[in-house]
Amino acid sequence: NVNMLKHFIFTDHHWYKDLDIKKIIDSRKQTHADFIITTEKDAVRMRERFSEFLETEPVISAEIQQEILSGDQQLNELLQHIL
C-alpha cells in the first residue's frame, strides 16, 4: 500500500523552476516520505536542469499508459478518414 502524503499539481508542459524542486524536496523531508513519484514525462523534463535532484532524491518515475475503454471503433474510423 502507498499513502500519499502531499500532492503537487503542475500544468501540462510545465518548466520546473528551482523553487518547485525545493518545495518538493522540503515537503518530502517534512512529511518523512520514503520517496517522490513523478511521471516519466516530467522526469525527462527535469533531467536537463535538475539531474542532481533525480540522482540524490528517492524519485520514482511512473510510466503512464492510455487505454481507450469505449469508442475505439469510432476513433479508428475517424483516423482512417483523416489519413
Side-chain angles (χ1 to χ4, degrees):
N1 291 341
V2 175
N3 293 323
M4 187 182 318
L5 302 174
K6 178 74 175 174
H7 182 216
F8 290 92
I9 298 174
F10 297 100
T11 59
D12 198 21
H13 304 289
H14 180 73
W15 286 103
Y16 291 90
K17 299 177 178 74
D18 293 337
L19 184 59
D20 297 327
I21 301 301
K22 181 180 179 336
K23 286 180 180 179
I24 293 168
I25 292 170
D26 289 349
S27 177
R28 185 192 68 76
K29 290 178 180 177
Q30 289 171 359
T31 61
H32 304 286
D34 294 327
F35 49 85
I36 298 164
I37 299 176
T38 190
T39 63
E40 186 176 49
K41 176 183 163 185
D42 284 337
V44 169
R45 293 180 78 83
M46 291 178 198
R47 195 169 292 135
E48 285 183 33
R49 286 194 58 211
F50 303 105
S51 60
E52 184 178 342
F53 162 69
L54 296 172
E55 293 168 6
T56 60
E57 290 293 319
V59 178
I60 295 174
S61 175
E63 179 183 347
I64 296 179
Q65 297 181 359
Q66 296 178 356
E67 179 181 357
I68 298 172
L69 300 176
S70 66
D72 58 329
Q73 182 177 349
Q74 292 90 343
L75 177 60
N76 286 332
E77 290 171 4
L78 178 64
L79 291 174
Q80 287 177 2
H81 178 72
I82 293 172
L83 302 175

